[in-house]
Amino acid sequence: MSSHILVYRLIGNSLPPRHGVRHSEETLRFILANEPDLPQAEKRWVLNRIADPAVEAECIRLLEGAGKTYSRIPFDPERYRRAFLDASGMPDILNPFVASETQPIRSATAVMAEEWMLRHKSLAAIDLNYARNFVLEQGKSEAQWVLPLDGSCFFTESGWEDVRFALATSSREKYAVIPLARIANNALLFEKGFTPLEFEEPQVVFRSDANERFDERLRYGNMNKAELLVRIGVPGPWMSWTLAQWELDEPLKVLDHDSFMQCGWVARLASGADERIEVDEKLRWQSRFQGVKQFTRAL
C-alpha cells in the first residue's frame, strides 16, 4: 500500500439556504490555502455531480493550481431528466403534498414526505452516499485507512495528530469516528491551542478490510451518515433518530459491536448560511431539504 491514510474530500453542489451560494468554491479555496499538511496521509478530492460547469471549472482550476489529485463523478443530465416525483409507498393522506415557500413547515412528517417525493431527483443530483462508497472502493487497495470527508471539513495540526496516532497504533478496530465541530467563524482555527467545546455527528474512517458501507438508498439530509453510525454501534443522539415509517423495511439496529474507536476532531467550516439557521438544529435539518428542493427546481 502506497499510503497509510487516504483523506478524500467530496465537493458537491452548494445548496442554499443550507449553504452560501458560493460555498463549494469558497471552502475549497480556504482548505487549499490554510490546512496544514497531514503527516502519514495523502489528500485527494472528488468533484461530485457539480451541475454548474463554471463552478466545476473553478474547482478544477484551484485543485490543479495547487497540484492536488482529484477525480470527477460527473453530473448526468440524462439521468436527472429521467428522475421523477414519486409519492408511492407513503400514506395516502400525504399524497400529494405541496409545501408553500412562504409558510413554515408544519411537521416533521410533512418534511419527510416531501423529501421522499423528491428522492429520485435528489439521488440523481447529489447521491452523497454513492460518492462515499466510490472512494472507499477506490482507496481500500491503496491505503490501510480511508476517510471520506464531507467537503467543508478542515483539520488543525492538533486535531489531525490525535487521529494519526490513533490509526497508527490501532490493532483491532475496523472503524474510527472523528468528532465534528461546527465553526461559526473560520478565524478561530488560527488561534493557538483552539479546541472546540461541542461536537456533533462525526466523520467515519474505514480500515481497508471494513465491510460496512453507506446505504445508497438514503439521500442527503436523511440520516445518510447517521444510519451507518447506528449500524457500527457509535453512541449518540442518532440512536434515537428515526427514518420515515415508509423508508426502510427493517428498523435500524447495531450490526457491528465494539468495532470502532474515537479519535481527534475535525472542524466543519462556516457554511455561509443565515445565522438563525446555523444555530438551530431543527432549522438546519429543514434547510437541508429546502436546499434540495430549490436546487432540483433550478435544475
Side-chain angles (χ1 to χ4, degrees):
M1 295 185 177
S2 60
S3 301
H4 182 61
I5 311 164
L6 281 176
V7 177
Y8 288 89
R9 282 188 181 84
L10 309 177
I11 307 294
N13 297 289
S14 301
L15 299 172
R18 184 63 197 95
H19 307 130
V21 175
R22 311 297 292 184
H23 179 65
S24 298
E25 311 98 289
E26 289 172 357
T27 55
L28 174 58
R29 187 178 291 109
F30 183 90
I31 292 166
L32 292 173
N34 297 290
E35 188 181 60
D37 291 336
L38 306 181
Q40 291 190 277
E42 177 187 344
K43 300 181 189 180
R44 296 181 182 179
W45 275 261
V46 175
L47 304 179
N48 181 36
R49 293 181 172 82
I50 298 179
D52 186 333
V55 172
E56 186 179 54
E58 175 62 9
C59 290
I60 290 173
R61 186 189 71 80
L62 291 169
L63 289 166
E64 291 183 346
K68 301 302 182 181
T69 300
Y70 70 92
S71 55
R72 295 174 63 242
I73 301 175
F75 175 71
D76 184 347
E78 291 305 318
R79 178 187 173 189
Y80 187 80
R81 289 189 185 100
R82 292 193 299 269
F84 56 94
L85 294 174
D86 183 4
S88 63
M90 67 184 189
D92 289 343
I93 193 171
L94 295 172
N95 179 10
F97 172 72
V98 179
S100 168
E101 294 287 351
T102 59
Q103 293 177 345
I105 294 178
R106 291 166 289 178
S107 71
T109 301
V111 174
M112 290 189 287
E114 186 170 37
E115 193 276 334
W116 175 256
M117 290 179 66
L118 283 166
R119 66 191 182 280
H120 303 307
K121 292 180 177 291
S122 179
L123 288 175
I126 302 169
D127 212 350
L128 185 53
N129 277 356
Y130 173 90
R132 288 168 170 156
N133 290 340
F134 170 83
V135 301
L136 289 172
E137 292 305 311
Q138 184 182 85
K140 69 179 183 180
S141 63
E142 300 183 54
Q144 185 177 357
W145 295 93
V146 183
L147 171 53
L149 275 181
D150 294 342
S152 59
C153 288
F154 180 99
F155 279 108
T156 63
E157 288 185 0
S158 61
W160 175 255
E161 179 56 24
D162 290 344
V163 173
R164 183 207 63 75
F165 179 79
L167 297 183
T169 57
S170 169
S171 59
R172 65 180 182 84
E173 295 90 351
K174 294 183 179 180
Y175 309 91
V177 294
I178 304 174
L180 180 142
R182 295 184 185 279
I183 305 300
N185 182 351
N186 293 342
L188 292 172
L189 297 168
F190 302 119
E191 294 183 2
K192 186 175 181 179
F194 170 73
T195 301
L197 300 177
E198 297 183 0
F199 297 98
E200 300 186 13
E201 184 181 80
Q203 303 288 294
V204 184
V205 196
F206 294 70
R207 203 169 71 184
S208 59
D209 60 346
N211 294 320
E212 296 300 326
R213 293 293 184 266
F214 295 93
D215 190 329
E216 294 181 22
R217 294 172 294 179
L218 299 177
R219 287 77 56 197
Y220 168 76
N222 191 49
M223 287 190 66
N224 52 323
K225 182 173 352 98
E227 185 269 346
L228 174 74
L229 297 176
V230 173
R231 277 192 279 124
I232 63 176
V234 180
W238 41 85
M239 284 291 186
S240 62
W241 296 350
T242 57
L243 293 161
Q245 65 215 43
W246 57 83
E247 180 73 51
L248 296 177
D249 297 333
E250 298 180 1
L252 299 180
K253 59 184 178 182
V254 177
L255 299 178
D256 207 345
H257 294 267
D258 301 321
S259 62
F260 75 93
M261 58 183 166
Q262 179 173 303
C263 53
W265 65 276
V266 65
R268 180 195 180 281
L269 298 174
S271 68
D274 187 287
E275 184 178 351
R276 292 169 298 176
I277 291 174
E278 200 57 65
V279 300
D280 187 302
E281 182 179 349
K282 183 177 180 181
L283 288 179
R284 290 200 305 269
W285 180 73
Q286 293 175 351
S287 69
R288 292 186 185 100
F289 298 141
Q290 290 172 335
V292 173
K293 179 179 178 181
Q294 291 182 24
F295 182 62
T296 54
R297 283 184 171 178
L299 288 177

